[in-house]
Amino acid sequence: MLATLRRLPYEGAMRGDSFPHPSLERSHMARRNKIYEGKAKILYEGPEPGTIVQYFKDDATAFNAQKKDVIEGKGVLNNRLSEFFMTGLNQIGVPTHFIRRLNMREQLVRACEIIPLEVIVRNFAAGSLSKRLGIEEGTQLPRPIVEYCFKNDELGDPLVTEEHIAAFGWASQQDMDDILSLALRVNDYMSGLMYGVGIKLIDFKIEIGRVYENDYPRLIVADEISPDSCRLWDIETGKKLDKDVFRRDLGSLTDAYSEVARRLGVIPKTANVVKPTLIN
């Protein structure tokens, strides 16, 4: 999402019974300076230096935006779920860009320079890994596998090696050591959290940002962590609770994300997801 932002300074209580319409929430944002709009989020200048407001859209895309739709409530759920995961990581000492949630669709985050890589951690075979290596989906891998993709939508975010990363100067060797450590710590946290609510963490992707503290560079987890960026399967049934529901036309994406949010206690278990009432 943030490939074009790698040279920009990206810093980068819901009841669950209704979702506000995005057009209503955007009305007060017209006065802000928009920095960037991606497939799933919009970034605005923050209220304080070194901050950015991250707005979660209802847009859903797949297959490098070849498949598109608008799923009412998706942005609200991703905002709350990303807040939940980022807050948990901060609490266990994994640094993130997250500062606080502002409202149903927005959160305040730290400005940082995004390293132009998608960092993918795989615990089970699925998606492109299954296609590339001919491994049946759902097969547990011998150990977590970390892969890297160059963030470039026009090229389809191609898979790259550490040799490419070093040769093109996207990250130093020390950066790569830190990125690997961050990715595996996120995996440990997310795997345990999901297992506790009966969900299997198949794989996920994160983005890493660079901030400077007293002129010393530090890497942090940025962008978002949500069902948009994870594969989540019910442990008992194998039911998919992530964006594969949209990719493969398996049902309601909002229902799937709401199920994850309910199990984690982000929204009440009895909450009903209904369409918003429009105000003229």
Side-chain angles (χ1 to χ4, degrees):
M1 169 240 179
L2 299 175
T4 59
L5 277 181
R6 56 183 181 274
R7 300 303 177 194
L8 294 177
Y10 168 65
E11 281 197 7
M14 173 180 150
R15 295 182 58 84
D17 52 359
S18 64
F19 291 121
H21 196 273
S23 63
L24 301 180
E25 292 198 353
R26 289 190 189 185
S27 62
H28 75 282
M29 298 193 297
R31 296 183 299 275
R32 292 185 188 163
N33 292 324
K34 182 165 71 173
I35 297 173
Y36 174 81
E37 180 166 0
K39 291 177 285 189
K41 292 182 291 297
I42 305 174
L43 304 181
Y44 296 91
E45 287 184 358
E48 302 142 4
T51 65
I52 281 178
V53 174
Q54 184 166 258
Y55 175 93
F56 287 77
K57 302 181 347 183
D58 280 345
D59 299 45
T61 62
F63 311 118
N64 200 23
Q66 294 180 28
K67 182 177 183 180
K68 302 178 183 179
D69 202 353
V70 176
I71 313 294
E72 288 180 322
K74 171 180 169 289
V76 174
L77 287 162
N78 279 347
N79 183 26
R80 288 304 309 270
L81 284 164
S82 192
E83 172 198 16
F84 180 80
F85 297 134
M86 293 288 191
T87 299
L89 288 170
N90 284 335
Q91 289 173 345
I92 65 169
V94 177
T96 80
H97 72 160
F98 180 79
I99 299 174
R100 65 180 182 273
R101 179 169 59 86
L102 298 175
N103 52 51
M104 298 286 273
R105 292 181 182 273
E106 295 177 318
Q107 52 186 234
L108 189 68
V109 299
R110 291 185 67 180
C112 60
E113 178 186 337
I114 291 292
I115 294 174
L117 299 171
E118 288 184 349
V119 183
I120 303 166
V121 182
R122 301 182 183 275
N123 298 307
F124 297 83
S128 62
L129 181 68
S130 292
K131 293 178 182 177
R132 276 186 278 126
L133 303 181
I135 303 174
E136 183 180 358
E137 282 204 328
T139 301
Q140 185 167 3
L141 301 173
R143 65 178 187 184
I145 293 176
V146 181
E147 297 180 329
Y148 307 98
C149 289
F150 175 51
K151 285 189 56 59
N152 187 306
D153 286 341
E154 293 182 2
L155 300 176
D157 300 327
L159 194 67
V160 294
T161 68
E162 290 195 31
E163 287 294 317
H164 296 106
I165 295 166
F168 294 113
W170 297 327
S172 68
Q173 185 57 56
Q174 182 60 58
D175 286 338
M176 293 309 299
D177 292 343
D178 292 343
I179 288 170
L180 179 62
S181 176
L182 283 172
L184 292 177
R185 290 179 70 190
V186 172
N187 188 47
D188 286 344
Y189 168 76
M190 292 288 293
S191 294
L193 187 67
M194 291 301 180
Y195 185 80
V197 294
I199 296 174
K200 187 185 298 184
L201 179 65
I202 302 298
D203 58 36
F204 66 92
K205 65 180 179 181
I206 55 174
E207 295 184 17
I208 301 296
R210 182 183 289 111
V211 295
Y212 291 88
E213 298 174 351
N214 299 321
D215 295 326
Y216 180 79
R218 183 189 188 201
L219 298 186
I220 62 176
V221 179
D223 192 40
E224 69 175 301
I225 301 177
S226 74
D228 267 10
S229 58
C230 304
R231 277 194 175 89
L232 307 170
W233 295 3
D234 181 88
I235 288 176
E236 297 295 330
T237 67
K239 179 181 178 182
K240 293 175 173 58
L241 301 170
D242 54 69
K243 200 162 76 168
D244 274 347
V245 172
F246 173 70
R247 291 187 186 100
R248 303 182 184 186
D249 297 316
L250 299 177
S252 167
L253 192 66
T254 303
D255 288 350
Y257 287 17
S258 295
E259 176 66 18
V260 175
R262 287 190 188 97
R263 293 196 194 188
L264 292 169
V266 174
I267 63 175
K269 294 186 181 299
T270 57
N272 294 316
V273 178
V274 298
K275 292 184 178 181
T277 300
L278 300 182
I279 301 173
N280 295 321

